[in-house]
Amino acid sequence: MTHSGPAAYSPLVIDHVKNPRNIGEMDRPDGVGRVGNPVCGDVMELYIRVKDRIITDASFKTFGCGAAIATSSMVTEMVKGKTVDEALEISNKAVAEALGGLPPVKMHCSVLAEEALKKAVENYYERRGEKPPFGTAVKEHHH
Amino acid sequence: MKLVYLDNAATTPVDPRVKGAMLPYLEDHFGNPSSVHSAGQAVRHAVEEARGSVAALIGGRADEIYFTSGGTEADNWALKGTAWAKSDKGNHIITTSVEHHAVIEACHYLSKHGFEITLLPVDRYGMVDPEDVSKAVTPKTILISVMHANNEIGTIQPVAEIGKIARERGVLFHVDAVQTAGHLPVNVNSLNADMLSVSGHKLYGPKGTGALYIRKGTRIDSLLSGGSQERGKRPGTENVPGIVGFGKAADIARTEMAAETERLYLLRDRLSSELLDRIPDSQLNGHPAVRLPNNVNISFSYVEGESLVLNLDFEGICASTGSACSSSSLEPSHVLLACGKIAEEAHGSLRFSLGKFTRDSDIDAVIEALPRIVKKLRAMSPLAPRAAAR
Ligand code: FES
C-alpha cells in the first residue's frame, strides 16, 4: 500500500505525520507562538528555548491536517541550533522544501509554521523587553 | 498488512461475479451496439438485458433507464436537463443544503443562468422536513431534488413523503439514490420519483457507469449532442463492458440485499457503539436510527479529520473524512455545517462505510486502533483540555 495520503504527500511528510518530532508543551519556554484559526481547521503552538540567542530546543502542538503536523514538526527540527535572528529567516517555502514539497492546496499550511515560529521569536523578544528586528510583524493566517 | 477497507461509500470493490460478466465484452464481444451486423447486435442484446436489470432494481421499466457515465452525470442531467426543458414554465428549483456536490454545483451553475434555487435547511440529524418542501413550492417551481440518503452522514430522507407533495403540486421530483440503490429497497413508484440517479461503482459494479431513470413522458433536454444512442437522449457509444457489469451488479444486489442489510446493521451498530464508548468526547453524526445500514460518522473533539485518516492508513485502515470528493478541499463538510456543527467539530469527523466484504475482524481492527490514534493526536492538540489528552 502506498501511504500517499488524501493529498498525495511526499514520503517525508508522511514520515513526520507518523513520527512527529518534538511534540508537546514546553515547561517554562523562552518564547511561545500561537497561530491559526479554528474556523479553517488549524491551530499551531510553537515553543522555543533560547540560550545566548541560540535556540537550543523547540517543540509544538498542532490541531490540523497532515501538512500542518509535518510542517510544525519540521520547523522545530530546523530551528534548533540557529540564532533567533536566523530563525526569522526561515520561510514557509524552505520548510516545504525540506519536507520534499507539499501539494499546492496545502502550501498555506507551511505558512502557518513560518508564522508560529516568527511569533515565538517575537514573544522571546517581548519577554526580554526588547524590540524584535524590523519586519517580523505577523499577519493573521487566513485561508 | 491486510487492508481494512471501510470506505465503501466512496467506491466499492468490483464483485468477482461482475468482473466475470464483463470480461467477454472486453475480449470477444467488442462490437459496437449501433452496428447492424451480428457482432454489433450480440452486444446490443447484452446492453438491453442490463437495462432490464437496472430497471428491476429500482422498480422502473427498462425503457425508462438511460445509461450515463455515473451518478454525477445523472444528477447534472436531471437538474440541467429539466431546467432547460421547462424554462418556459418557471425558473425555481428546490433542493437541500446537504445534497452531493453533483447537485449543489449543478444548482450553482443554474443560478448563474437565471434560475432561482431554494436550498432547504435540515435539522441536527441532517433531515429535511417535508413541511418545508411544501412551503417552498411556488407557481414557478419546476423541480424538487432530494437525495434518498446522505453520502456523508447516512441520514435517510423522507423522500416518499416529499414525492407525494411534488406530485400533488404538479412539480417534477428527482431523487439522488446513488447511496441507496442496491443497498436499500428503492422503488420509483412508491417514491413518486420522476427521475432517479443511480451509480454502478457504489454497488460493486465498475466505475464510470450509472443511470438516470426518467419516467415516461417527462420532458428533459440532453446534455450532450451527437448520435441517437439511448433513444436519442444520451448520445455516445455505450460503455458496453461497464453497462454489462452494472447490470450484473444490479441483479446481485437485488437478490442479496435483504440478507446483506441485516448483516451490516449488526456490524455497523457494534462499530459505532464501541467507538462512542471507548473514546471520550465523541459524537455520532447523522440520524441515530434513520440511517444507512453501512454508515458510521463520528466527530472526535480536538482532533482533525485528515490526520485521523492518515494515522488509520498507517495501520492499513481506509476511512474518510466525509465525502471522498471533497477530501482535497479545505472547507469543513457542508453537510455537517448544515447540521449545525461548528467548524472545529466538522473538521474532526470520520466516516466509516461498510460493505459486503467487511468482516468482524475489520471492525475489531478499528476498535483496537482508533482509541489509540485519537489519544495520540489529542496529546499534541493545542485545543484539547489537558485531561482529554491523557
Ligand atoms: S489545511 Fe493544513 S493547515 Fe489549513
Side-chain angles (χ1 to χ4, degrees):
Chain A
M1 196 170 40
T2 61
H3 290 299
S4 59
Y9 288 134
S10 76
L12 198 53
V13 170
I14 291 299
D15 184 53
H16 276 264
V17 178
K18 206 179 222 171
N19 309 299
R21 333 291 201 247
N22 316 310
I23 47 174
E25 206 174 312
M26 191 181 278
D27 191 31
R28 282 181 294 144
D30 297 311
V32 184
R34 182 183 168 108
V35 292
N37 176 357
V39 174
C40 72
D42 341 287
V43 179
M44 203 180 277
E45 253 171 37
L46 208 91
Y47 307 87
I48 50 172
R49 167 111 46 240
V50 184
K51 208 169 186 187
D52 302 330
R53 303 230 157 219
I54 291 175
I55 298 176
T56 56
D57 200 7
S59 70
F60 77 94
K61 275 190 150 189
T62 291
F63 166 87
C65 69
I69 292 174
T71 52
S72 35
S73 168
M74 180 52 99
V75 88
T76 55
E77 289 283 272
M78 288 169 78
V79 292
K80 278 195 244 172
K82 291 210 162 60
T83 67
V84 281
D85 294 344
E86 280 167 354
L88 291 175
E89 306 281 301
I90 296 178
S91 69
N92 76 304
K93 281 214 182 79
V95 181
E97 261 161 42
L99 283 167
L102 283 174
V105 67
K106 294 290 188 178
M107 269 312 279
H108 76 279
C109 315
S110 62
V111 174
L112 215 55
E114 178 191 317
E115 289 178 352
L117 174 60
K118 290 215 161 109
K119 273 206 167 172
V121 172
E122 266 184 6
N123 181 246
Y124 159 79
Y125 276 108
E126 257 167 43
R127 286 177 187 223
R128 294 173 56 98
E130 294 174 20
K131 256 191 128 107
F134 176 76
T136 61
V138 177
K139 284 180 224 96
E140 279 308 311
H141 168 79
H142 293 296
H143 284 294
Chain B
M1 186 161 49
K2 186 183 163 271
L3 187 71
V4 175
Y5 185 78
L6 294 171
D7 202 12
N8 287 278
T11 194
T12 51
V14 172
D15 187 299
R17 291 167 289 179
V18 167
K19 179 180 146 197
M22 291 171 71
L23 278 178
Y25 295 89
L26 290 163
E27 290 167 350
D28 305 331
H29 305 315
F30 57 84
N32 187 324
S34 297
S35 304
V36 282
H37 48 60
S38 49
Q41 287 314 296
V43 169
R44 153 87 21 230
H45 183 71
V47 169
E48 292 319 315
E49 222 168 80
R51 200 182 304 283
S53 301
V54 173
L57 181 68
I58 58 170
R61 289 177 8 196
D63 63 356
E64 295 172 316
I65 300 295
Y66 296 85
F67 288 115
T68 66
S69 63
T72 292
E73 185 188 329
D75 283 345
N76 268 266
W77 187 11
L79 282 132
K80 295 176 186 170
T82 304
W84 299 131
K86 300 217 110 192
S87 57
D88 55 332
K89 290 260 183 315
N91 68 342
H92 181 225
I93 295 170
I94 299 170
T95 186
T96 83
S97 49
V98 294
E99 296 302 306
H100 189 270
H101 288 292
V103 166
I104 300 240
E105 289 304 314
C107 286
H108 187 69
Y109 165 87
L110 287 169
S111 73
K112 286 192 285 190
H113 289 82
F115 290 88
E116 301 267 344
I117 312 291
T118 299
L119 281 186
L120 294 173
V122 293
D123 66 14
R124 66 193 171 110
Y125 300 126
M127 203 176 287
V128 181
D129 185 349
E131 270 286 295
D132 289 346
V133 179
S134 186
K135 279 189 228 142
V137 177
T138 74
K140 299 206 140 198
T141 308
I142 50 173
L143 177 68
I144 297 170
S145 176
V146 178
M147 69 199 330
H148 193 181
N150 184 269
N151 52 311
E152 292 185 36
I153 57 173
T155 301
I156 300 169
Q157 303 292 3
V159 270
E161 253 177 277
I162 296 169
K164 210 167 139 238
I165 293 167
R167 184 63 54 89
E168 282 163 9
R169 309 291 288 270
V171 177
L172 288 178
F173 185 41
H174 165 247
V175 177
D176 173 356
V178 165
Q179 291 294 331
T180 50
H183 302 278
L184 288 176
V186 172
N187 185 294
V188 290
N189 296 318
S190 53
L191 297 183
N192 274 321
D194 298 296
M195 286 164 282
L196 184 134
S197 305
V198 185
S199 167
H201 76 110
K202 309 279 190 189
L203 45 98
Y204 311 96
K207 291 170 189 59
T209 62
L212 183 64
Y213 160 85
I214 306 175
R215 187 175 293 280
K216 196 126 206 113
T218 307
R219 258 171 60 215
I220 177 168
D221 280 8
S222 300
L223 291 185
L224 304 177
S225 309
S228 58
Q229 290 91 346
E230 297 297 294
R231 297 176 300 289
K233 280 199 162 69
R234 203 279 186 182
T237 299
E238 294 87 343
N239 168 11
V240 175
I243 288 171
V244 169
F246 182 19
K248 179 73 180 175
D251 280 339
I252 296 172
R254 190 163 45 85
T255 51
E256 299 180 356
M257 188 187 309
E260 178 57 12
T261 312
E262 282 311 305
R263 195 184 71 86
L264 285 175
Y265 277 133
L266 294 176
L267 289 175
R268 177 197 74 179
D269 291 346
R270 185 161 77 89
L271 178 61
S272 65
S273 63
E274 290 277 340
L275 291 180
L276 293 169
D277 263 14
R278 287 173 195 233
I279 304 177
D281 297 312
S282 56
Q283 228 187 334
L284 183 73
N285 296 316
H287 200 286
V290 190
R291 65 187 301 126
L292 285 170
N294 70 337
N295 173 292
V296 173
N297 186 313
I298 301 182
S299 286
F300 302 96
S301 311
Y302 323 123
V303 293
E304 193 271 345
E306 188 193 284
S307 38
L308 286 170
V309 168
L310 288 170
N311 276 276
L312 282 167
D313 188 44
F314 298 151
E315 310 209 13
I317 300 169
C318 299
S320 147
T321 49
S323 89
C325 334
S326 60
S327 58
S328 61
S329 109
L330 310 170
E331 304 294 317
S333 146
H334 69 286
V335 175
L336 291 173
L337 293 182
C339 297
K341 295 264 171 210
I342 59 167
E344 261 167 87
E345 297 168 327
H347 271 294
S349 77
L350 205 53
R351 177 187 73 185
F352 296 102
S353 41
L354 287 51
K356 69 176 169 190
F357 301 110
T358 305
R359 297 289 169 262
D360 268 307
S361 59
D362 298 321
I363 304 301
D364 294 340
V366 179
I367 294 171
E368 191 279 315
L370 194 56
R372 246 191 307 115
I373 291 170
V374 171
K375 211 180 213 175
K376 169 185 163 188
L377 290 172
R378 280 182 181 167
M380 67 164 127
S381 167
L383 301 180
R386 270 178 213 164
R390 242 174 258 140

